[in-house]
Amino acid sequence: MNKVGIIGGTFDPPHLGHLLIANDVRQKLALNEIWFMPNHIPPHKQGADITPTEIRVEMLKAAVESNASFRVETIELDREGPSYTYDTMVLLRERNPNTNFYFIIGADMVEYLPKWYNIEKLLEIVTFVGVKRPGYSFASVYHVLEVETPQLSISSTMIRKRVREGWTSQYLVPERVKEIIEEKHLYE
C-alpha cells in the first residue's frame, strides 16, 4: 500500500512552516509522498478576500518543486461550491484504491474536528495526523496521530499582514514564492 499525507488549505501564501511540517511528517511516518491540496472555497472562509486560485496554485507549485516527495493535488479545484474534506477524500480513495491517506492538520484544526462535515465517516477513510501549533491545545475526542515538529510561529495571515505593512516575505516563504508575491504585488 502506498502511504500519502495530505495537507489541505488555502495556501495564501504557502510558507516554510507548511514545508517543514510536511517534510517532518513524511519522514516520521515513512510516507511515500505528501500532496498539498489547495481549497477552492473553504467552508470556514466563504466571503473572505482570497488570492485567485490560479495564483495560489502557482505559488504552491513553486514552493514544492524542490522536493520530489511533494506534489500539488488540485482535485478540490475541479469542483464548484464549498470544499468538504469528506467528499474530496471519497473521490481520492476511488481514484487511488491502493493508498492509505494521512490527513495532516494543525492543532487549531484538531480542536475544530467535531465541526467537520461527516467527521465519523471521514475517520473511516483517513488517519488524522496532528501537529502542534503555538497557542492551541491538542485535545480531541477523535483518534489523531501526534507528530512533533519544530513550532514555527509563521502563518499565511501574518505574512499577508507584513507585506501589506511594507515588510518583506523573505525567510518566511521559499524564494520563488517571494518573487511571485512581489511580481504580482500580492497582499499590498
Side-chain angles (χ1 to χ4, degrees):
M1 290 290 273
N2 196 26
K3 293 169 63 175
V4 172
I6 300 278
I7 296 181
T10 51
F11 300 108
D12 192 15
H15 54 73
L16 296 180
H18 294 131
L19 301 175
L20 176 64
I21 287 168
N23 199 54
D24 277 8
V25 169
R26 186 189 64 75
Q27 288 184 338
K28 290 180 181 177
L29 298 182
L31 304 181
N32 301 97
E33 293 183 307
I34 300 289
W35 297 356
F36 290 77
M37 190 169 62
N39 303 76
H40 181 56
I41 306 170
H44 62 288
K45 293 187 179 182
Q46 288 182 6
D49 186 23
I50 297 173
T51 300
T53 300
E54 61 277 1
I55 296 173
R56 291 186 293 118
V57 169
E58 179 185 358
M59 287 191 291
L60 194 52
K61 286 180 177 179
V64 304
E65 69 187 359
S66 66
N67 189 321
S69 299
F70 291 174
R71 77 169 219 199
V72 176
E73 170 54 65
T74 59
I75 188 171
E76 288 203 341
L77 304 179
D78 300 332
R79 300 192 341 246
E80 292 297 319
S83 299
Y84 291 103
T85 302
Y86 173 75
D87 298 333
T88 301
M89 294 312 302
V90 166
L91 288 172
L92 281 178
R93 290 281 306 229
E94 288 172 2
R95 293 179 186 178
N96 304 277
N98 295 318
T99 301
N100 288 328
F101 288 103
Y102 295 77
F103 204 89
I104 304 162
I105 56 177
D108 56 330
M109 286 291 113
V110 170
E111 293 178 0
Y112 193 71
L113 280 178
K115 298 177 182 176
W116 282 36
Y117 173 72
N118 259 350
I119 184 63
E120 299 294 338
K121 290 182 181 177
L122 181 59
L123 288 163
E124 295 173 9
I125 60 174
V126 302
T127 299
F128 276 100
V129 178
V131 294
K132 290 188 174 179
R133 193 163 175 184
Y136 294 93
S137 72
F138 205 81
S140 178
V141 296
Y142 301 109
H143 175 69
V144 178
L145 290 177
E146 185 176 344
V147 173
E148 287 282 335
T149 66
Q151 294 186 32
L152 299 179
S153 282
I154 299 175
S155 73
S156 297
T157 301
M158 179 263 291
I159 294 167
R160 291 191 306 270
K161 181 178 185 284
R162 284 177 56 95
V163 172
R164 198 169 35 255
E165 293 173 351
W167 293 89
T168 181
S169 60
Q170 189 170 19
Y171 307 121
L172 299 171
V173 299
E175 184 63 25
R176 183 64 192 122
V177 173
K178 177 182 113 19
E179 292 169 3
I180 293 168
I181 290 170
E182 291 171 356
E183 288 167 7
K184 299 184 182 299
H185 305 283
L186 300 178
Y187 318 125
E188 293 177 0

